[in-house]
Amino acid sequence: MVKREAFDIGGQRIAPGTRMTVDIPVSTLSDHTPVNLSVHVVHGRKPGPVMFVSAAVHGDEVIGVEIVRRLLKANALKSMSGTLLAVPIVNTYGFLNNARYLPDRRDLNRCFPGGPTGSMASRLAHIFMSEVVMRSELGIDLHSAAIHRTNLPQIRLTPDNDRLAALGASFGAPVMLNSKLREGSLRMAAEAAGIDVLLYEGGEGLRFDELAARAGVSGILRVMHEMGMLARRAVPRTKTRTVMCGGSNWYRAPAGGLFRGYLSIGDTVVPGTVLGAVSDPFGEVETEVVADAEGIIIGRTNMPVVYEGEALFHIAETARAEAAAEGVTAHLDAAPLYDEDEII
């Protein structure tokens, strides 16, 4: 068998069958503290594809950091083929400040592909694109809801991309839906360069969520198997089918006031289902929020105090809510989603 070449990144060479954390310089803070983009490289002995897994593009989305930490401890990686580039924290600035954005108030996920002489966000986007994304054949980008909101574990797909649809199905999240590309997003920039990216959503900003963490780790391992990087025996099997949804819609507060939500993520609705109610502090005026389509609740606010027009429930539309309920309920009831002693 032909010996595999070392993997070059950030001025370091990682030999086959080894792993290393490589610090790629990004900037220097005003107090002279260096800022790096830290990439953990697992370079398998056997040839295979290069895949990146990234988290904390938004600095407050800490659940992805935990998913990457658990992934890197998985026993399955010891016999991996190909190369895994794991970046637990892309937006170091936001992560340290418990903030979604960078200090220049820009959303990093609207600044790709970036450039070497642009804003702080643009420069970081450029470094991540050139050092990590462009070395890969596939990426999985991990996200969560913003603070005070929570998301059901779900996979977002680029419409009309058959390869991503197949890989998304193998991920095995409770829900999968199409999501259009947004200008300046990592997905748009990567796919313009020919690199497909799966987007995973789960949990809440600045919080850990066990369901979202386990679903994320299990899903990544399944995708790696589908890519030929891991053997079948090393990968947790899905317990239920993924529910494929069409579009999605936000239900918003009809008025400012106190919000009482009657349903949670994973619950299914039909036209006429009462999702919750908004009332004034005296209880004199109360307005119900009612679903007008069949679907699954994939996101909701956790805040009881709301303004008029504030997003309350995010519902992915399904052809038949009852059939969808079986798949989602089984996912939520399946604990654990993998055997920790076997995988981690």
Side-chain angles (χ1 to χ4, degrees):
M1 184 174 68
V2 179
K3 183 178 180 181
R4 194 178 187 205
E5 296 291 331
F7 189 85
D8 296 322
I9 184 173
Q12 301 291 329
R13 289 177 59 82
I14 298 89
T18 66
R19 54 198 297 171
M20 177 189 299
T21 298
V22 179
D23 294 327
I24 301 171
V26 172
S27 182
T28 304
L29 300 182
S30 55
D31 66 350
H32 202 62
T33 301
V35 177
N36 297 314
L37 179 72
S38 297
V39 184
H40 190 85
V41 182
V42 183
H43 193 44
R45 292 185 182 279
K46 295 175 284 189
V50 179
M51 186 180 90
F52 78 84
V53 176
S54 56
V57 167
H58 294 130
D60 61 350
E61 296 179 346
V62 298
I63 187 63
V65 184
E66 173 65 5
I67 290 171
V68 174
R69 183 194 71 80
R70 296 188 188 193
L71 173 67
L72 292 177
K73 293 184 67 177
N75 291 327
L77 300 189
K78 295 177 181 179
S79 57
M80 188 190 81
S81 299
T83 304
L84 174 67
L85 306 180
V87 186
I89 304 169
V90 179
N91 180 0
T92 300
Y93 306 98
F95 182 80
L96 293 176
N97 292 318
N98 294 330
R100 182 177 180 85
Y101 304 124
L102 284 93
D104 62 1
R105 300 187 299 279
R106 285 181 168 84
D107 183 341
L108 179 59
N109 210 28
R110 297 295 179 268
C111 295
F112 286 94
T117 59
S119 66
M120 175 188 295
S122 178
R123 294 177 190 219
L124 176 56
H126 171 73
I127 291 171
F128 183 68
M129 281 291 297
S130 58
E131 294 288 347
V132 176
V133 177
M134 299 304 294
R135 285 184 162 88
S136 307
E137 298 166 45
L138 176 77
I140 300 178
D141 192 28
L142 307 174
H143 289 265
S144 76
I147 58 172
H148 307 315
R149 301 184 184 279
T150 189
N151 279 344
L152 180 75
Q154 61 198 259
I155 285 290
R156 306 279 182 87
L157 298 173
T158 303
D160 302 319
N161 187 318
D162 293 339
R163 181 191 185 216
L164 278 182
L167 292 173
S170 70
F171 191 102
V175 167
M176 186 165 65
L177 69 157
N178 288 322
S179 176
K180 66 180 181 180
L181 296 174
R182 293 183 178 271
E183 191 69 36
S185 67
L186 169 59
R187 279 202 303 155
M188 175 173 276
E191 293 189 26
I195 298 112
D196 288 331
V197 176
L198 282 173
L199 190 151
Y200 173 75
E201 286 272 2
E204 177 185 357
L206 297 180
R207 296 287 185 272
F208 280 177
D209 180 287
E210 190 62 21
L211 173 66
R214 293 184 178 219
V217 176
S218 299
I220 294 169
L221 293 174
R222 294 187 196 109
V223 171
M224 293 179 71
H225 165 67
E226 192 73 13
M227 293 282 291
M229 301 174 72
L230 295 176
R232 171 75 266 182
R233 66 179 181 276
V235 177
R237 296 183 181 276
T238 54
K239 297 180 182 297
T240 60
R241 63 181 179 84
T242 296
V243 179
M244 182 65 196
C245 298
S248 64
N249 186 40
W250 277 99
Y251 288 78
R252 299 181 178 276
L258 302 178
F259 167 65
R260 305 189 310 280
Y262 302 149
L263 301 176
S264 189
I265 56 172
D267 287 339
T268 57
V269 302
V270 296
T273 299
V274 179
L275 304 172
V278 178
S279 65
D280 68 271
F282 306 100
E284 295 175 347
V285 179
E286 179 167 296
T287 306
E288 292 183 335
V289 181
V290 181
D292 58 13
E294 294 187 359
I296 302 169
I297 298 175
I298 60 172
R300 61 155 292 172
T301 183
N302 294 327
M303 294 295 287
V305 180
V306 298
Y307 292 97
E308 182 175 350
E310 190 167 345
L312 303 179
F313 286 97
H314 192 193
I315 296 181
E317 296 179 359
T318 58
R320 289 196 56 187
E322 289 184 6
E326 296 177 3
V328 174
T329 300
H331 263 289
L332 298 177
D333 290 341
L337 293 177
Y338 58 82
D339 184 340
E340 289 197 28
D341 294 331
E342 176 184 352
I343 301 297
I344 293 182

